[in-house]
Amino acid sequence: MILFVSDLHLSPATPAVTHLFVDFLAGRARAAERLFILGDLFEAWPGDDCLEDGEDLLAATVVGALREVVGSGVEVSLLHGNRDFLLGEGFAARSGVRLLPDPFVLSLPTWQFVLSHGDALCIDDTDYQTFRAMVRQEAWQKAFLARPLAERRAIAMAVREQSEVAKRGKAGYLMDVNLGATEDFLRANGYATLIHGHTHRPAMHEHIVDGIAVERWVLADWSHTRGECLCWDGEQLLRESLVPQPAT
Ligand code: LP5
Ligand code: MN
């Protein structure tokens, strides 16, 4: 069994979501062989050196919980999102999680999937794509990571605020995948079933590409009342709701 989750946006401001995720890792996820996290695990990741900051309890808690589930025999892999593209080898080494490129083709004996965060397909949002192209450059990341951690955290917060303001002025279609780009992507990836997050618009879309029906599954984001995982049982994909359990 393989599980997929996305867009948890873990933050010190939302401890209930962190609890839900930690419970998921200690419970439901243990029944899986593999778990894929398709980006935006964190609300904002300023760089792996936050793991050296004894006061960053969120990072330490999440890394510890991931390490335990990996130790129990579950292979955990992660794609970057637009909030945590700075997750690096330090995080991977400490958590035991494998970092994957976006897109990642997951070839199973019975089915072919292609996994992505999904933001790269939102090409109508040209302001975002300009921003994305800048921050994904190695040289930009090197220069940014050379700044003090406190400064990076402040910049991340400021850019988050700018992003929320910018989104208020954007038409809905700008914040969704572009149909032509998606069809090109599906063609380039052998008409594999696409699973992605980012848009927070959970649905299953069917695209007809070159006469072939291709499924696109969009994962839900998590909140303090509900999380979601998608489960591949070897034959089909099923959405599962994850709800907080009352403390016993
Ligand atoms: O994230 P969300 O859902 O709000 O919106 C996204 C797009 N926004 C982003 C920005 C992230 O939220 C910020 C993440 C910060 C954490 C990273 C750590 C440190 C990096 C610091 C970077 C300088 O991804 C949003 C999309 C939306 O998805 C839907 O697809 O619309 O895009 C934007 O809002 C982008 C704006 O349109 C342009 C923002 C320009 C900001 C430029 C600041 C540059 C400062 C450089 C300082 C060194
Ligand atoms: Mn995202």
Side-chain angles (χ1 to χ4, degrees):
M1 174 201 303
I2 301 178
L3 299 178
F4 305 90
V5 297
S6 185
D7 297 273
L8 293 94
H9 300 145
L10 301 178
S11 154
T14 54
V17 186
T18 308
H19 281 142
L20 191 56
F21 183 57
V22 169
D23 285 352
F24 166 74
L25 293 182
R28 178 69 186 93
R30 302 283 170 119
E33 286 137 44
R34 299 171 83 176
L35 166 66
F36 288 90
I37 302 169
L38 302 188
D40 288 358
L41 172 61
F42 292 98
E43 171 78 356
W45 188 260
D48 289 355
D49 52 344
C50 71
L51 292 168
E52 320 298 334
D53 174 4
E55 295 193 358
D56 196 330
L57 298 181
L58 174 75
T61 302
V62 174
V63 162
L66 285 167
R67 200 165 184 81
E68 280 188 25
V69 71
V70 170
S72 80
V74 183
E75 184 183 322
V76 182
S77 307
L78 177 138
L79 272 68
H80 290 124
N82 56 299
R83 308 286 192 88
D84 52 13
F85 55 86
L86 289 174
L87 282 167
E89 290 307 327
F91 168 82
R94 291 241 197 162
S95 61
V97 166
R98 193 155 70 109
L99 298 178
L100 298 178
D102 183 350
F104 177 77
V105 175
L106 174 62
S107 273
L108 302 174
T110 53
W111 207 252
Q112 183 104 345
F113 293 98
V114 58
L115 313 178
S116 178
H117 181 56
D119 57 322
L121 294 173
C122 300
I123 60 165
D124 294 319
D125 192 344
T126 50
D127 287 350
Y128 171 63
Q129 293 301 333
T130 304
F131 171 76
R132 186 181 193 275
M134 174 180 81
V135 300
R136 297 301 178 102
Q137 284 168 26
E138 209 181 310
W140 185 91
Q141 294 191 1
K142 211 171 157 212
F144 184 74
L145 291 172
R147 293 173 181 240
L149 178 60
E151 193 181 315
R152 277 178 273 139
R153 283 192 171 126
I155 293 172
M157 223 173 350
V159 179
R160 283 287 311 116
E161 277 165 27
Q162 282 190 44
S163 180
E164 291 304 322
V165 172
K167 285 194 295 184
R168 270 179 242 144
K170 286 181 189 177
Y173 79 93
L174 291 176
M175 293 182 280
D176 204 349
V177 301
N178 171 282
L179 193 60
T182 302
E183 290 179 2
D184 287 345
F185 177 92
L186 296 173
R187 188 176 290 117
N189 286 287
Y191 313 98
T193 297
L194 169 58
I195 306 177
H196 72 84
H198 181 66
T199 63
H200 306 180
R201 299 178 191 199
M204 197 281 276
H205 301 270
E206 196 172 79
H207 296 265
I208 305 297
V209 188
D210 306 332
I212 299 167
V214 191
E215 290 184 359
R216 172 169 69 92
W217 291 74
V218 188
L219 296 175
D221 55 320
W222 289 37
S223 73
H224 67 288
T225 56
R226 185 183 173 276
E228 182 191 86
C229 70
L230 190 64
C231 174
W232 172 253
D233 64 7
E235 288 180 3
Q236 57 180 336
L237 285 171
L238 289 167
R239 271 179 210 280
E240 292 179 17
S241 271
L242 304 162
V243 290
Q245 297 303 310
T248 48

